Amino acid sequence: MFGSSRQTADNLWTLIAPPTIWAFHFVICYVVAAVRCAPNTGPFEAILATRWFILAFTLVCLLAIALIFRRSVVEWRGHGSGTVNDEDNPTARERFLEFSTILLAGLSFLAVVFTALPAAFITDCR
Amino acid sequence: MPQGRLRRNGPAAGSPPRHHAPRRSPVLRAFSLAGLLALLSACTGPQSTLTGAGSEAAQVETLFWVMLVGAVLIWVFTIGLSIYATRVHPERHSEKTGTRLILWGGVAFPVVVLTALLVYGLKLMPEFRAEANGPTIAVSGERFWFRVAYGVEGEPGVVKSLPPGGVESANEIWLPVGVRSAILLGSPDVVHSFWVPSIAGKMDMIPGRVNRLVIEPVKEGVYNGVCTEFCGDAHGQMGFRVVVVSPGDYEAYVAAQSQPAAVTSGPGFEAFMENGCDACHAVRGTEADGSVGPDLTHLGSRLTIAAGILDNTPENLVRFISATEHVKQGVEMPAYGMVPNEEIAAIAAWLEQLK
């Protein structure tokens, strides 16, 4: 339909997938750490299991965002990789969605790393 | 279209003359200046984070200056850039330059700066909560004052209250200098927050939960503490003093505070009991054992009364007892204006003797 036959159509859902992963990652990390530290006892106890979980979950989310990023870059290049969107046709709209997805994926990747960073430095509940 | 151009570039005939940019009124200027001075005056004194009287406050101060200088540089750069783009070089720029500026100035630079700040902040946080090597002091946020107990034994936790025991006092916390003291924070009813800007904090005091704050003063002196979570009418008048002394003086102070009251008889004491003050206040060494209000066993030794809002003098004490609401709106203690003046004066004189 658009350019090369191997390309798939972008829509609102492909666009918001990276920030949605970021949001889920934030909520899950927050809840897991909050539940672990909620009893507020033993502030110096190591919370290794929680930190390992956050690391693993972060890697899964980063991988998903990276795949979305890669797909958008490939498709965007297939559509001429322009950043100026002043045309009124399906290809231009597609290109706009792809480029926006690339930017959002980049932002979400960084945000997921930032969300997980506390687990790298904070070793207990204090 | 000469008419259109005329309209765009200057006042058309018949239209009202264009005004100059409005001048700032002198009143507004005075207000701005007063505001600036008020802000600057907050940079020093017993309630300023920039006093550097605690290890945590010193770190916060460093962070503040780093961020302020950084923010000013970024601001100057951004304003400079907009002046360059609109005045110095208003012609069209190439798309390549624009993209490069966005990539370096809008993506790479903020990512590096924010990552550095985040890592720096995350490394600092656990240090603030490191293990204490000094006394454990329980501080309970009451409406609207601070209950203090020195030398308690307990741990933080949830579904629990502050540990009982310890040497009780109120609205004044003495701390040994150079030592990391653990402050256990709680509240019986509403949420308060504990903050000594010059030293450390802040941390919430939550009913049904015991929080732990580690505080390390590094300079001897008297500092202000405040409640920083809106808790009711008198929230703004809920303060305390922190007195930082040498470890030896601290020990001596707590030992003195653990003693019963120095004077346990006389007209002041009798008036105190007759008027029912003992229903709420305890004076150790007498039958007065109320626990609703502050422990008054050593009231005379405190710097302030009514939770840090009045100097501790007999006149202020008389004023407060006779018209509590006038001094501190929303206070829980009723006014005792109906008690004869001489009795109130006797009570105040007696309380001042309780050093």
Side-chain angles (χ1 to χ4, degrees):
Chain A
M1 191 175 174
F2 307 113
S4 149
S5 60
R6 294 190 57 179
Q7 300 217 345
T8 49
D10 276 67
N11 54 37
L12 186 66
W13 304 111
T14 55
L15 178 76
I16 65 164
T20 308
I21 294 170
W22 163 20
F24 269 106
H25 176 264
F26 179 81
V27 168
I28 303 262
C29 288
Y30 194 105
V31 167
V32 166
V35 166
R36 174 63 186 80
C37 289
N40 198 17
T41 44
F44 298 104
E45 258 172 50
I47 48 168
L48 215 55
T50 310
R51 296 169 70 210
W52 276 116
F53 170 80
I54 290 176
L55 176 66
F57 186 57
T58 301
L59 290 178
V60 171
C61 291
L62 290 180
L63 182 70
I65 293 173
L67 287 174
I68 294 169
F69 182 84
R70 189 171 151 269
R71 171 191 170 274
S72 313
V73 169
V74 169
E75 303 217 342
W76 177 58
R77 286 203 176 131
H79 285 130
S81 65
T83 53
V84 179
N85 295 287
D86 52 2
E87 288 168 55
D88 178 20
N89 59 52
T91 315
R93 273 195 289 277
E94 186 77 2
R95 197 166 55 214
F96 167 74
L97 281 171
E98 284 153 5
F99 185 57
S100 306
T101 312
I102 290 173
L103 297 180
L104 278 174
L107 176 69
S108 304
F109 191 92
L110 207 65
V112 166
V113 172
F114 279 10
T115 307
L117 264 183
F121 289 96
I122 295 174
T123 58
D124 48 35
C125 287
R126 68 174 112 133
Chain B
M1 293 279 288
Q3 255 191 336
R5 191 182 269 175
L6 202 83
R7 234 173 246 148
R8 240 180 272 136
N9 290 350
S15 68
R18 201 182 263 184
H19 293 284
H20 290 288
R23 258 193 215 160
R24 269 198 196 165
S25 79
V27 179
L28 198 71
R29 263 193 206 172
F31 265 111
S32 329
L33 195 67
L36 189 70
L37 286 176
L39 277 176
L40 287 175
S41 71
C43 289
T44 53
Q47 203 171 310
S48 168
T49 300
L50 306 183
T51 309
S55 55
E56 183 175 333
Q59 297 272 27
V60 171
E61 191 182 340
T62 309
L63 201 55
F64 169 75
W65 288 116
V66 167
M67 291 192 65
L68 183 70
V69 171
V72 167
L73 290 179
I74 292 171
W75 183 83
V76 167
F77 174 76
T78 311
I79 296 297
L81 195 67
S82 56
I83 290 173
Y84 174 79
T86 54
R87 299 288 160 105
V88 182
H89 194 311
E91 309 87 62
R92 194 189 158 110
H93 293 259
S94 76
E95 199 184 325
K96 203 174 163 193
T97 315
T99 312
R100 206 177 285 164
L101 179 71
I102 290 172
L103 271 178
W104 287 105
V107 180
F109 178 71
V111 166
V112 171
V113 170
L114 290 178
T115 308
L117 280 175
L118 181 61
V119 170
Y120 179 59
L122 286 171
K123 280 188 159 176
L124 277 185
M125 279 168 73
E127 285 172 32
F128 292 160
R129 313 268 177 269
E131 227 148 341
N133 57 5
T136 302
I137 302 167
V139 181
S140 175
E142 310 280 329
R143 283 182 297 160
F144 299 92
W145 56 283
F146 292 87
R147 190 190 297 274
V148 180
Y150 295 93
V152 294
E153 282 177 21
E155 286 290 314
V158 286
V159 202
K160 68 197 274 189
S161 324
L162 283 169
V167 177
E168 191 160 337
S169 182
N171 302 323
E172 196 166 295
I173 303 173
W174 283 49
L175 293 171
V177 71
V179 172
R180 305 177 59 79
S181 302
I183 314 274
L184 295 178
L185 301 167
S187 164
D189 40 30
V190 299
V191 180
H192 304 272
S193 186
F194 179 96
W195 190 26
V196 192
S198 310
I199 303 177
K202 51 196 158 177
M203 189 171 277
D204 278 2
M205 317 171 94
I206 303 169
R209 181 183 169 99
V210 175
N211 278 338
R212 172 181 163 278
L213 176 75
V214 177
I215 184 167
E216 185 187 21
V218 294
K219 254 190 229 169
E220 289 186 26
V222 180
Y223 306 98
N224 286 358
V226 283
C227 174
T228 50
E229 181 76 41
F230 181 73
C231 54
D233 295 8
H235 161 69
Q237 290 170 306
M238 179 173 168
F240 58 100
R241 293 286 185 277
V242 173
V243 183
V244 179
V245 292
S246 69
D249 287 353
Y250 171 80
E251 294 298 333
Y253 171 79
V254 175
Q257 292 286 309
S258 69
Q259 298 301 312
V263 184
T264 55
S265 60
F269 169 68
E270 279 155 30
F272 183 87
M273 298 303 284
E274 272 164 27
N275 290 298
C277 305
D278 62 318
C280 293
H281 295 286
V283 178
R284 281 174 275 130
T286 72
E287 309 93 274
D289 60 353
S291 60
V292 175
D295 183 301
L296 303 177
T297 311
H298 297 283
L299 181 77
S301 72
R302 291 180 202 154
L303 296 168
T304 64
I305 57 165
I309 61 170
L310 288 180
D311 285 336
N312 189 3
T313 63
E315 299 77 47
N316 281 341
L317 209 46
V318 169
R319 208 175 127 209
F320 182 65
I321 298 171
S322 8
T324 48
E325 269 284 338
H326 284 239
V327 176
K328 184 171 173 175
Q329 269 192 357
V331 67
E332 298 279 295
M333 175 172 158
Y336 282 81
M338 67 295 198
V339 175
N341 283 347
E342 18 339 327
E343 281 189 36
I344 294 182
I347 293 173
W350 172 60
L351 289 173
E352 292 297 341
Q353 286 178 290
L354 305 181
K355 299 283 181 189

